[in-house]
Amino acid sequence: MLGFFFKKNFYEGWDNVMFFIVPNLILDAALLLLGIPAFFVTQMPDNLAFAGIIIWAVLAFFACVAIALTSLSWAELSHDIVNYGVPELKDFFKFMKSSVKDAFKFGAICFVVLVITVVGAAYYFTPYFKGTTTGTETAVVESSAIQTVTDAATNLEAAAQTGTQGSFIGLLAGFVFCWIALSIFMALFWYPALRSFMHNPFGKSIKKCFILLFDNLAFSVVLGFYNVFLFLISIVMLGVAPGMAGIGLARENALYLLMKKYDYLEELDKAKEPLNSPKRRRIPWRDLLAVDIENTGTKGFKGFFMPWKELEDQGAKTVTKKQDDIEEDEKWREE
């Protein structure tokens, strides 16, 4: 299944790469417009630091909403792509109008999680790094390597005894906190695709995001690394491609394949198959994806760079095959 996912996503991304440009440029323009005032906020005097933080928070909120709006709109459009449909770019703007309400809700949740993550990480890790810096500065002043080691050991021992920030327990709690935050972001990542497939109420969709994550944790991790790879390519391509659209298409294709599994499990439920049945543990992906594998096919060099040539060759082969069938029929009739 995993190999077919990469193949199908690459083929569809290549065939629809021109559709990536407009959504990506819209998002890039929105982030740029929000980034310009954010830059000038950093030049504000120290006595206006609190006001600067408020402005930064407002800009970050609208950045989350902008990402949410474009992601939800693109998910609706890419839903047609993964189902072998023919998308129209004008539909993207139509979907933007219908996605505003959910975009503000989804953007607000992402913003809150982001703020909690930043504040929590600062709370747990800043004291630890401050302690490390203080020990180093003391060592430089005293110019003694032995004293550095002694001070560091003393500080760690004292921190461990108090159990406060900067201790080993605090550091461990910080890592646990970051893993929880990462899990929440990975679950929320599924929301645009779930919305485009099911159109459930907002709260129900968010709940299904977490169910989907923990039910397909390994695949979600692989998809996460794949998205990091797409993100790095997007940086090189200045966000034009694959960008948000390419990452969204990958997410849509991933859920498209997972829905095949859930449809299969639903049929087993109707047949009252036991929960510990081997049919549930071993998903017959080859059978479930047989039609999709045939529809996706295999592209050669011409298929990527000169698709019209490949279509001409396929048409010629089809005509030749039909002609051969006609000749065989005539021979059979003569005999």
Side-chain angles (χ1 to χ4, degrees), residues 21-302:
I21 297 176
V22 172
N24 286 339
L25 287 180
I26 291 175
L27 179 59
D28 291 345
L31 295 179
L32 180 62
L33 291 175
L34 293 171
I36 292 174
F39 171 76
F40 286 108
V41 168
T42 60
Q43 309 301 317
M44 294 176 65
D46 294 340
N47 59 340
L48 296 177
F50 182 75
I53 293 175
I54 298 299
I55 296 174
W56 261 82
V58 172
L59 293 174
F61 170 76
F62 281 104
C64 290
V65 172
I67 295 172
L69 181 59
T70 51
S71 297
L72 296 182
S73 306
W74 172 252
E76 296 289 345
L77 187 66
S78 59
H79 182 72
D80 294 335
I81 296 176
V82 301
N83 283 280
Y84 308 101
V86 180
E88 295 186 11
L89 191 58
K90 64 180 181 180
D91 291 337
F92 174 77
F93 299 98
K94 181 181 70 174
F95 293 136
M96 287 188 76
K97 294 180 181 179
S98 61
S99 302
V100 172
K101 184 177 179 181
D102 286 339
F104 268 92
K105 293 180 181 178
F106 184 54
I109 289 180
C110 292
F111 172 74
V112 171
V113 175
L114 180 63
V115 170
I116 294 175
T117 302
V118 171
V119 173
Y123 173 80
Y124 282 112
F125 295 112
T126 300
Y128 174 78
F129 288 111
K130 278 186 176 179
T132 304
T133 304
T134 303
T136 305
E137 290 173 352
T138 303
V140 171
V141 172
E142 297 181 0
S143 303
S144 172
I146 298 177
Q147 186 64 36
T148 303
V149 176
T150 304
D151 291 346
T154 303
N155 290 337
L156 287 175
E157 183 180 359
Q161 290 175 355
T162 58
T164 57
Q165 293 171 276
S167 67
F168 175 76
I169 296 176
L171 184 63
L172 182 62
F175 279 115
V176 173
F177 172 82
C178 289
W179 277 113
I180 294 174
L182 179 62
S183 299
I184 294 174
F185 278 116
M186 290 179 65
L188 293 176
F189 175 80
W190 285 107
Y191 174 72
L194 273 171
R195 180 180 181 273
S196 67
F197 271 86
M198 299 183 177
H199 292 97
N200 292 138
F202 182 78
K204 188 175 182 179
S205 296
I206 294 297
K207 180 181 177 181
K208 286 185 176 180
C209 288
F210 288 90
I211 296 174
L212 189 64
L213 170 66
F214 293 111
D215 193 34
N216 304 275
L217 186 58
F219 183 54
S220 297
V221 172
V222 173
L223 181 62
F225 281 110
Y226 181 57
N227 289 329
V228 171
F229 171 71
L230 294 178
F231 179 73
L232 294 177
I233 297 177
S234 303
I235 294 176
V236 177
M237 300 292 292
L238 301 178
V240 177
M244 175 277 302
I247 294 174
L249 180 64
R251 173 176 51 209
E252 205 76 17
N253 263 315
L255 186 57
Y256 175 83
L257 299 183
L258 291 179
M259 291 301 293
K260 298 283 185 179
K261 180 185 78 170
Y262 289 117
D263 290 341
Y264 168 75
L265 294 176
E266 186 177 358
E267 292 297 325
L268 293 182
D269 291 337
K270 292 179 181 179
K272 297 182 179 180
E273 193 73 24
L275 295 177
N276 59 349
S277 171
K279 291 183 179 180
R280 293 182 180 273
R281 295 195 301 269
R282 298 177 182 178
I283 307 297
W285 286 110
R286 186 173 295 276
D287 296 334
L288 297 179
L289 301 177
V291 176
D292 293 281
I293 292 173
E294 182 179 355
N295 291 336
T296 302
T298 302
K299 293 181 181 290
F301 179 81
K302 291 182 179 179

